[in-house]
Amino acid sequence: MTTVNLSAADRRETGAVAAELAATAPGLIDDPHWVAEARRMSCRLPARLREATRLFRHDPGRDGVLIVRNLPVDEAELPLTPTVPESVERTATVPAAVAVMVTLQIGEIAAYRDEKSGALVQNVVPVPGREESQSNAGSTPLEMHVENAFHPHCPDYVGLLCLRNDQPLNAGTMVSSIRTALGLLSPGTLRVLREERFTTTPPPSFSGGGPDPAHAVLRGDPDDPDVKVDFHATTTDDDEAKVAMEALRGAFLQAARTLVLRPGEMAVVDNRIAIHGRTAYQPKYDGYDRWLHRTFIHLDHRRTRAHRAGNGNVLF
Ligand SMILES: O=C(O)CCC(=O)C(=O)O
Ligand SMILES: [Fe+2]
């Protein structure tokens, strides 16, 4: 797994730029002027961090995950972990500024109008009453998935910055990549997965009304394909395709790694070749539960232009 450990000096430098960005008017993450400043200031992140994001963009490695450690997140300064449904971060705090700048060094930040009110930085927190839900508000196992697999412009990368983790450290982000899982699958299974025999249902908030288009689970170079699957939302009517999907799920589980993120650690998952999920844990709802900031990244902002009003960062 590609890992960058920031030195104490790098952490200080990142903290200084993030504090300056957090104090930049109007101090609201979703404001286009603030995003423009964040984009510009992200060029002042330490060289070793910019070097790592540049190399990761060129080659996500076998795991398709970049881990950045020792980012400036000061747990003692954090407010209580939010507990409300659909929680998002609107205020430009230091941790949010860090998440946005790392995001903007990889590509362009993106969000979806119909998800978490289109906020560019979203809170991944457990929500009382949603324990069993197959969403990031739940605390039972979250099935592995490509993020927004149903969307024609799903993110190229997903960023997850840890602000706080649960104690004892049970909650883990599971990641697995098709580059690792591919060798565990038979040629017959791979052939079926390359055919348009699968559909992925959007969450109710996104529903466009029409039937979900059939798609292949594996696409591109047979030896190094992209993957599009969500083991909760992708289905198929035919038995052969069901068996192939089960085999793929097994291979992904066999190849999976569990990342227990600590405060100040950010995982960037390449959403083309890697899938992710979450292990079960026990929230306490006492204000000190696990808390991540999530961002989405597109590499080619222009390609999504027809899906974005006013050339902003929110897709419909
Ligand atoms: O909680 C996690 O580690 C990941 C949850 C998730 O899949 C997401 O927020 O997209
Ligand atoms: Fe996810």
Side-chain angles (χ1 to χ4, degrees):
M1 206 154 294
T2 319
T3 306
V4 201
N5 288 302
L6 295 189
S7 65
D10 285 341
R11 179 185 164 117
R12 265 197 310 280
E13 208 178 304
T14 306
V17 183
E20 192 180 325
L21 175 58
T24 298
L28 294 172
I29 295 162
D30 300 289
D31 182 282
H33 300 289
W34 191 86
V35 174
E37 284 303 295
R39 191 179 295 111
R40 198 174 57 76
M41 288 171 74
S42 72
C43 300
R44 287 163 49 195
L45 288 172
R48 68 190 272 123
L49 179 51
R50 285 181 289 120
E51 192 179 293
T53 53
R54 180 66 188 86
L55 297 183
F56 180 67
R57 199 159 64 224
H58 170 65
D59 183 4
R62 268 184 81 70
D63 297 309
V65 181
L66 171 71
I67 311 277
V68 185
R69 296 214 168 100
N70 206 24
L71 286 162
V73 172
D74 185 351
E75 255 196 295
E77 303 255 301
L78 294 177
L80 297 178
T81 299
T83 54
V84 295
E86 314 302 328
S87 173
V88 298
E89 199 63 35
R90 296 285 187 195
T91 310
T93 60
V94 167
V98 168
V100 170
M101 284 194 293
V102 174
T103 293
L104 286 168
Q105 269 303 304
I106 295 178
E108 195 50 46
I109 193 164
Y112 299 84
R113 185 191 61 193
D114 295 332
E115 182 183 37
K116 307 227 185 199
S117 49
L120 297 178
V121 175
Q122 304 153 15
N123 290 321
V124 177
V125 292
V127 175
R130 301 264 175 107
E131 289 78 7
E132 310 275 326
S133 82
Q134 280 294 308
S135 78
N136 62 24
S139 41
T140 50
L142 176 60
E143 277 284 2
M144 294 214 280
H145 55 278
V146 159
E147 197 65 35
N148 289 352
F150 68 90
H151 199 283
H153 293 295
C154 65
D156 293 324
Y157 305 89
V158 179
L160 297 167
L161 170 65
C162 180
L163 277 62
R164 190 175 264 147
N165 209 338
D166 70 321
Q167 295 297 338
L169 296 162
N170 284 323
T173 304
M174 292 177 71
V175 288
S176 191
S177 97
I178 191 62
R179 284 186 170 173
T180 314
L182 200 69
L184 304 170
L185 295 164
S186 72
T189 299
L190 292 172
R191 179 184 52 76
V192 175
L193 294 171
R194 295 182 63 80
E195 292 170 354
E196 295 185 348
R197 291 161 75 164
F198 307 87
T199 53
T200 300
T201 321
S205 61
F206 271 96
S207 189
D212 306 320
H215 67 86
V217 164
L218 300 182
R219 294 186 295 195
D221 186 324
D223 294 328
D224 187 14
D226 282 2
V227 64
K228 188 176 279 296
V229 74
D230 176 331
F231 288 104
H232 173 63
T234 305
T235 52
T236 174
D237 290 335
D238 88 72
D239 288 344
E240 192 184 35
K242 269 188 195 139
V243 171
M245 241 182 82
E246 251 331 290
L248 179 67
R249 184 165 175 272
F252 270 134
L253 283 173
Q254 200 179 322
R257 311 260 303 257
T258 301
L259 310 172
V260 178
L261 296 171
R262 313 284 177 115
E265 288 182 3
M266 183 163 177
V268 182
V269 181
D270 189 322
N271 202 40
R272 288 95 41 100
I273 64 160
I275 67 172
H276 66 279
R278 195 208 52 246
T279 61
Y281 68 110
Q282 191 64 57
K284 300 188 187 78
Y285 306 123
D286 59 356
Y288 293 90
D289 279 320
R290 181 172 187 259
W291 182 6
L292 313 179
H293 277 344
R294 181 176 73 171
T295 59
F296 296 146
I297 306 163
H298 274 137
L299 283 178
D300 184 350
H301 198 43
R302 182 67 198 165
R303 200 182 47 192
T304 64
R305 180 63 186 86
H307 274 267
R308 292 180 287 107
N311 210 9
N313 289 73
V314 182
L315 278 80
F316 51 81

